[in-house]
Amino acid sequence: MHKKLFIPGPIEVKEDVLEKMSTPMIGHRSKEASKLQRDISDKLKKLFYTENEILLSTSSGSGLMEGAVRCFTKKRAAIFSIGSFGDRWFEMAESNGVEADLFKSELGSITTPEMVEEALSTNKYDLITITHNETSTGVMNPIEEISKVVKKYPDVIFCVDTVSSAGGAKIEVDKLSIDVCITSSQKALGLPPGLGICTVSERAIEKARTVKNRGSYLDFVQLYDTIKKKDYQYPSTPNLSLMFALDYQLDRILQEGLDNRFNRHLEMAEYTRNWAKKYFDLFAEVKSASLTLTTIKNTKNISVKDLNAELGKRGYAISNGYGDLKEKTFRIAHMADLTLEDVKELLNVIEEILSLK
Ligand SMILES: *Cc1c(COP(=O)(O)O)cnc(C)c1O
């Protein structure tokens, strides 16, 4: 039996979107391939409210995160972490020999604009990374306020991990002056895994040209120059199957309307938070709670593992807490094409299993 996924990626994918994956192949150096990739870029620019270029990577989002920290740091990277995915970005810097410092917040808390100001005002850094939506804790960072601080430092490249928020929350790349905004196909965009997606500013690319040892497969300059020279074709053979699905899914997203889509996510988040407060508690403060997933404090000391096993028998899956938060919390994702009705259905089943009613 298929389990309906309420986990923060991979998420449920619509049948018609899945079917697009079986579109017959085309040559990746054909005009059709150029058109497909150009169309995808045009649509993604709308989703990200940007005129910056779009780069696709046949890797998951982590590939672009690793490429970014490597390609855009010349002096030193300031890596802000509010959980596992922020920590991972720091590990990527270290393992690539990129000089970096880690600025950690307590689990469940945000990166404050003050922390960013304090770090950048030292003038030690030329790259900053922020996790927009930390999937391990269900916390969403105040990206607007953070961007106001970063804008005061024009020599700093601003990289944001929007892997679990893009497509579910409004991220206005140009307004926020984000240089590199990274996401993955399998989260709020509602596709199977296998594509990394990002926006990249021209000034970031110009900066990267002066950085040595950018690597090869995930070298932003090579990706950028190739799509410019070859009409949106990539250096290596890309994941065309996913591109067919992405092109189609972006039509669906734009047809729904971006504001409608973001409102639907807000509705699902608010409903889940209220439910959590009624029976358990929220792990994050409401004002910094994520729009795409809710992390619930396990105040009733239930076995999350057993709950998930029972849910599995009924055709649903949620996520246990991440890392140290396992069993202490559990996570319900409400992203991509899930609806309020889906969320109500799931929460009803949980109430039944736990005899909460
Ligand atoms: C899932 C996730 C990642 C990793 O993305 P992959 O596509 O699995 O490489 C990074 N950051 C956040 C916030 C995530 O949720």
Side-chain angles (χ1 to χ4, degrees), residues 17-36:
V17 177
L18 275 178
E19 278 167 16
K20 289 289 165 187
M21 297 278 294
S22 52
T23 306
M25 271 308 115
I26 56 174
H28 70 298
R29 296 290 174 229
S30 63
K31 282 208 168 75
E32 288 160 280
S34 285
K35 182 179 181 322
L36 174 65

PDB file of all heavy atoms in Angstrom, residues 17-36:
ATOM      1  N   VAL A  17       1.990  14.483 -12.557  1.00  0.00           N
ATOM      2  CA  VAL A  17       3.375  14.970 -12.543  1.00  0.00           C
ATOM      3  C   VAL A  17       4.324  13.778 -12.673  1.00  0.00           C
ATOM      4  O   VAL A  17       5.286  13.806 -13.457  1.00  0.00           O
ATOM      5  CB  VAL A  17       3.668  15.766 -11.245  1.00  0.00           C
ATOM      6  CG1 VAL A  17       5.124  16.209 -11.194  1.00  0.00           C
ATOM      7  CG2 VAL A  17       2.736  16.980 -11.138  1.00  0.00           C
ATOM      8  N   LEU A  18       4.012  12.711 -11.937  1.00  0.00           N
ATOM      9  CA  LEU A  18       4.823  11.487 -12.030  1.00  0.00           C
ATOM     10  C   LEU A  18       4.851  10.949 -13.457  1.00  0.00           C
ATOM     11  O   LEU A  18       5.890  10.506 -13.952  1.00  0.00           O
ATOM     12  CB  LEU A  18       4.249  10.401 -11.116  1.00  0.00           C
ATOM     13  CG  LEU A  18       4.669  10.410  -9.658  1.00  0.00           C
ATOM     14  CD1 LEU A  18       3.959   9.278  -8.904  1.00  0.00           C
ATOM     15  CD2 LEU A  18       6.176  10.275  -9.512  1.00  0.00           C
ATOM     16  N   GLU A  19       3.696  10.999 -14.095  1.00  0.00           N
ATOM     17  CA  GLU A  19       3.604  10.470 -15.457  1.00  0.00           C
ATOM     18  C   GLU A  19       4.529  11.207 -16.430  1.00  0.00           C
ATOM     19  O   GLU A  19       5.027  10.621 -17.384  1.00  0.00           O
ATOM     20  CB  GLU A  19       2.158  10.536 -15.959  1.00  0.00           C
ATOM     21  CG  GLU A  19       1.328   9.363 -15.471  1.00  0.00           C
ATOM     22  CD  GLU A  19      -0.150   9.555 -15.678  1.00  0.00           C
ATOM     23  OE1 GLU A  19      -0.542  10.458 -16.465  1.00  0.00           O
ATOM     24  OE2 GLU A  19      -0.913   8.814 -15.040  1.00  0.00           O
ATOM     25  N   LYS A  20       4.747  12.489 -16.169  1.00  0.00           N
ATOM     26  CA  LYS A  20       5.630  13.269 -17.063  1.00  0.00           C
ATOM     27  C   LYS A  20       7.057  12.733 -17.052  1.00  0.00           C
ATOM     28  O   LYS A  20       7.827  12.971 -17.983  1.00  0.00           O
ATOM     29  CB  LYS A  20       5.634  14.746 -16.652  1.00  0.00           C
ATOM     30  CG  LYS A  20       4.343  15.460 -16.961  1.00  0.00           C
ATOM     31  CD  LYS A  20       4.180  15.663 -18.456  1.00  0.00           C
ATOM     32  CE  LYS A  20       2.734  16.042 -18.747  1.00  0.00           C
ATOM     33  NZ  LYS A  20       2.444  16.090 -20.186  1.00  0.00           N
ATOM     34  N   MET A  21       7.406  12.018 -15.981  1.00  0.00           N
ATOM     35  CA  MET A  21       8.742  11.420 -15.903  1.00  0.00           C
ATOM     36  C   MET A  21       8.961  10.360 -16.979  1.00  0.00           C
ATOM     37  O   MET A  21      10.094  10.005 -17.271  1.00  0.00           O
ATOM     38  CB  MET A  21       8.961  10.763 -14.533  1.00  0.00           C
ATOM     39  CG  MET A  21       8.932  11.692 -13.352  1.00  0.00           C
ATOM     40  SD  MET A  21      10.480  12.556 -13.071  1.00  0.00           S
ATOM     41  CE  MET A  21      11.579  11.214 -12.628  1.00  0.00           C
ATOM     42  N   SER A  22       7.864   9.820 -17.532  1.00  0.00           N
ATOM     43  CA  SER A  22       8.057   8.790 -18.556  1.00  0.00           C
ATOM     44  C   SER A  22       7.924   9.342 -19.980  1.00  0.00           C
ATOM     45  O   SER A  22       7.712   8.601 -20.931  1.00  0.00           O
ATOM     46  CB  SER A  22       7.105   7.612 -18.323  1.00  0.00           C
ATOM     47  OG  SER A  22       5.794   8.070 -18.195  1.00  0.00           O
ATOM     48  N   THR A  23       8.101  10.646 -20.117  1.00  0.00           N
ATOM     49  CA  THR A  23       8.155  11.248 -21.453  1.00  0.00           C
ATOM     50  C   THR A  23       9.350  10.652 -22.221  1.00  0.00           C
ATOM     51  O   THR A  23      10.436  10.517 -21.643  1.00  0.00           O
ATOM     52  CB  THR A  23       8.357  12.785 -21.321  1.00  0.00           C
ATOM     53  OG1 THR A  23       7.332  13.303 -20.481  1.00  0.00           O
ATOM     54  CG2 THR A  23       8.328  13.477 -22.670  1.00  0.00           C
ATOM     55  N   PRO A  24       9.168  10.296 -23.488  1.00  0.00           N
ATOM     56  CA  PRO A  24      10.303   9.753 -24.256  1.00  0.00           C
ATOM     57  C   PRO A  24      11.494  10.717 -24.275  1.00  0.00           C
ATOM     58  O   PRO A  24      11.306  11.931 -24.252  1.00  0.00           O
ATOM     59  CB  PRO A  24       9.723   9.588 -25.663  1.00  0.00           C
ATOM     60  CG  PRO A  24       8.246   9.486 -25.462  1.00  0.00           C
ATOM     61  CD  PRO A  24       7.921  10.329 -24.262  1.00  0.00           C
ATOM     62  N   MET A  25      12.687  10.143 -24.304  1.00  0.00           N
ATOM     63  CA  MET A  25      13.905  10.950 -24.240  1.00  0.00           C
ATOM     64  C   MET A  25      14.105  11.837 -25.463  1.00  0.00           C
ATOM     65  O   MET A  25      13.662  11.502 -26.562  1.00  0.00           O
ATOM     66  CB  MET A  25      15.131  10.039 -24.130  1.00  0.00           C
ATOM     67  CG  MET A  25      15.503   9.691 -22.717  1.00  0.00           C
ATOM     68  SD  MET A  25      15.650  11.157 -21.706  1.00  0.00           S
ATOM     69  CE  MET A  25      14.321  10.890 -20.573  1.00  0.00           C
ATOM     70  N   ILE A  26      14.806  12.919 -25.224  1.00  0.00           N
ATOM     71  CA  ILE A  26      15.259  13.787 -26.312  1.00  0.00           C
ATOM     72  C   ILE A  26      16.775  13.934 -26.159  1.00  0.00           C
ATOM     73  O   ILE A  26      17.308  13.675 -25.077  1.00  0.00           O
ATOM     74  CB  ILE A  26      14.578  15.182 -26.261  1.00  0.00           C
ATOM     75  CG1 ILE A  26      14.832  15.848 -24.893  1.00  0.00           C
ATOM     76  CG2 ILE A  26      13.091  15.074 -26.551  1.00  0.00           C
ATOM     77  CD1 ILE A  26      14.334  17.285 -24.802  1.00  0.00           C
ATOM     78  N   GLY A  27      17.441  14.335 -27.187  1.00  0.00           N
ATOM     79  CA  GLY A  27      18.881  14.563 -27.082  1.00  0.00           C
ATOM     80  C   GLY A  27      19.135  15.794 -26.218  1.00  0.00           C
ATOM     81  O   GLY A  27      18.420  16.793 -26.333  1.00  0.00           O
ATOM     82  N   HIS A  28      20.147  15.708 -25.363  1.00  0.00           N
ATOM     83  CA  HIS A  28      20.366  16.856 -24.472  1.00  0.00           C
ATOM     84  C   HIS A  28      21.075  18.013 -25.175  1.00  0.00           C
ATOM     85  O   HIS A  28      21.256  19.068 -24.606  1.00  0.00           O
ATOM     86  CB  HIS A  28      21.089  16.430 -23.191  1.00  0.00           C
ATOM     87  CG  HIS A  28      22.515  16.036 -23.375  1.00  0.00           C
ATOM     88  ND1 HIS A  28      22.893  14.970 -24.154  1.00  0.00           N
ATOM     89  CD2 HIS A  28      23.655  16.557 -22.863  1.00  0.00           C
ATOM     90  CE1 HIS A  28      24.202  14.867 -24.131  1.00  0.00           C
ATOM     91  NE2 HIS A  28      24.689  15.812 -23.358  1.00  0.00           N
ATOM     92  N   ARG A  29      21.492  17.788 -26.439  1.00  0.00           N
ATOM     93  CA  ARG A  29      22.059  18.903 -27.211  1.00  0.00           C
ATOM     94  C   ARG A  29      21.086  19.360 -28.305  1.00  0.00           C
ATOM     95  O   ARG A  29      21.491  19.990 -29.268  1.00  0.00           O
ATOM     96  CB  ARG A  29      23.392  18.475 -27.847  1.00  0.00           C
ATOM     97  CG  ARG A  29      24.472  18.149 -26.833  1.00  0.00           C
ATOM     98  CD  ARG A  29      24.963  19.387 -26.102  1.00  0.00           C
ATOM     99  NE  ARG A  29      25.892  19.052 -25.035  1.00  0.00           N
ATOM    100  CZ  ARG A  29      25.808  19.506 -23.791  1.00  0.00           C
ATOM    101  NH1 ARG A  29      24.811  20.296 -23.438  1.00  0.00           N
ATOM    102  NH2 ARG A  29      26.700  19.188 -22.888  1.00  0.00           N
ATOM    103  N   SER A  30      19.824  19.008 -28.158  1.00  0.00           N
ATOM    104  CA  SER A  30      18.843  19.376 -29.186  1.00  0.00           C
ATOM    105  C   SER A  30      18.197  20.733 -28.867  1.00  0.00           C
ATOM    106  O   SER A  30      18.278  21.227 -27.742  1.00  0.00           O
ATOM    107  CB  SER A  30      17.749  18.302 -29.249  1.00  0.00           C
ATOM    108  OG  SER A  30      17.050  18.259 -28.011  1.00  0.00           O
ATOM    109  N   LYS A  31      17.547  21.288 -29.880  1.00  0.00           N
ATOM    110  CA  LYS A  31      16.805  22.537 -29.690  1.00  0.00           C
ATOM    111  C   LYS A  31      15.700  22.337 -28.657  1.00  0.00           C
ATOM    112  O   LYS A  31      15.377  23.224 -27.883  1.00  0.00           O
ATOM    113  CB  LYS A  31      16.182  22.969 -31.025  1.00  0.00           C
ATOM    114  CG  LYS A  31      17.158  23.621 -31.979  1.00  0.00           C
ATOM    115  CD  LYS A  31      16.403  24.615 -32.898  1.00  0.00           C
ATOM    116  CE  LYS A  31      17.360  25.493 -33.670  1.00  0.00           C
ATOM    117  NZ  LYS A  31      18.006  24.741 -34.798  1.00  0.00           N
ATOM    118  N   GLU A  32      15.091  21.131 -28.689  1.00  0.00           N
ATOM    119  CA  GLU A  32      14.017  20.840 -27.727  1.00  0.00           C
ATOM    120  C   GLU A  32      14.533  20.917 -26.294  1.00  0.00           C
ATOM    121  O   GLU A  32      13.834  21.377 -25.403  1.00  0.00           O
ATOM    122  CB  GLU A  32      13.489  19.414 -27.947  1.00  0.00           C
ATOM    123  CG  GLU A  32      12.668  19.188 -29.187  1.00  0.00           C
ATOM    124  CD  GLU A  32      12.647  17.697 -29.514  1.00  0.00           C
ATOM    125  OE1 GLU A  32      13.637  17.206 -30.097  1.00  0.00           O
ATOM    126  OE2 GLU A  32      11.653  17.030 -29.170  1.00  0.00           O
ATOM    127  N   ALA A  33      15.765  20.407 -26.095  1.00  0.00           N
ATOM    128  CA  ALA A  33      16.335  20.449 -24.743  1.00  0.00           C
ATOM    129  C   ALA A  33      16.560  21.899 -24.320  1.00  0.00           C
ATOM    130  O   ALA A  33      16.281  22.278 -23.184  1.00  0.00           O
ATOM    131  CB  ALA A  33      17.645  19.671 -24.697  1.00  0.00           C
ATOM    132  N   SER A  34      17.045  22.718 -25.247  1.00  0.00           N
ATOM    133  CA  SER A  34      17.230  24.139 -24.935  1.00  0.00           C
ATOM    134  C   SER A  34      15.909  24.773 -24.544  1.00  0.00           C
ATOM    135  O   SER A  34      15.812  25.491 -23.549  1.00  0.00           O
ATOM    136  CB  SER A  34      17.793  24.883 -26.152  1.00  0.00           C
ATOM    137  OG  SER A  34      19.161  24.580 -26.305  1.00  0.00           O
ATOM    138  N   LYS A  35      14.882  24.482 -25.317  1.00  0.00           N
ATOM    139  CA  LYS A  35      13.579  25.097 -25.054  1.00  0.00           C
ATOM    140  C   LYS A  35      13.046  24.655 -23.687  1.00  0.00           C
ATOM    141  O   LYS A  35      12.577  25.473 -22.893  1.00  0.00           O
ATOM    142  CB  LYS A  35      12.579  24.730 -26.151  1.00  0.00           C
ATOM    143  CG  LYS A  35      11.221  25.392 -25.921  1.00  0.00           C
ATOM    144  CD  LYS A  35      10.207  25.073 -26.995  1.00  0.00           C
ATOM    145  CE  LYS A  35       8.860  25.744 -26.783  1.00  0.00           C
ATOM    146  NZ  LYS A  35       8.378  25.845 -25.421  1.00  0.00           N
ATOM    147  N   LEU A  36      13.154  23.361 -23.419  1.00  0.00           N
ATOM    148  CA  LEU A  36      12.679  22.826 -22.136  1.00  0.00           C
ATOM    149  C   LEU A  36      13.361  23.543 -20.977  1.00  0.00           C
ATOM    150  O   LEU A  36      12.721  24.021 -20.039  1.00  0.00           O
ATOM    151  CB  LEU A  36      12.970  21.317 -22.082  1.00  0.00           C
ATOM    152  CG  LEU A  36      12.672  20.595 -20.768  1.00  0.00           C
ATOM    153  CD1 LEU A  36      11.176  20.607 -20.468  1.00  0.00           C
ATOM    154  CD2 LEU A  36      13.186  19.150 -20.805  1.00  0.00           C
TER     155      LEU A  36
END
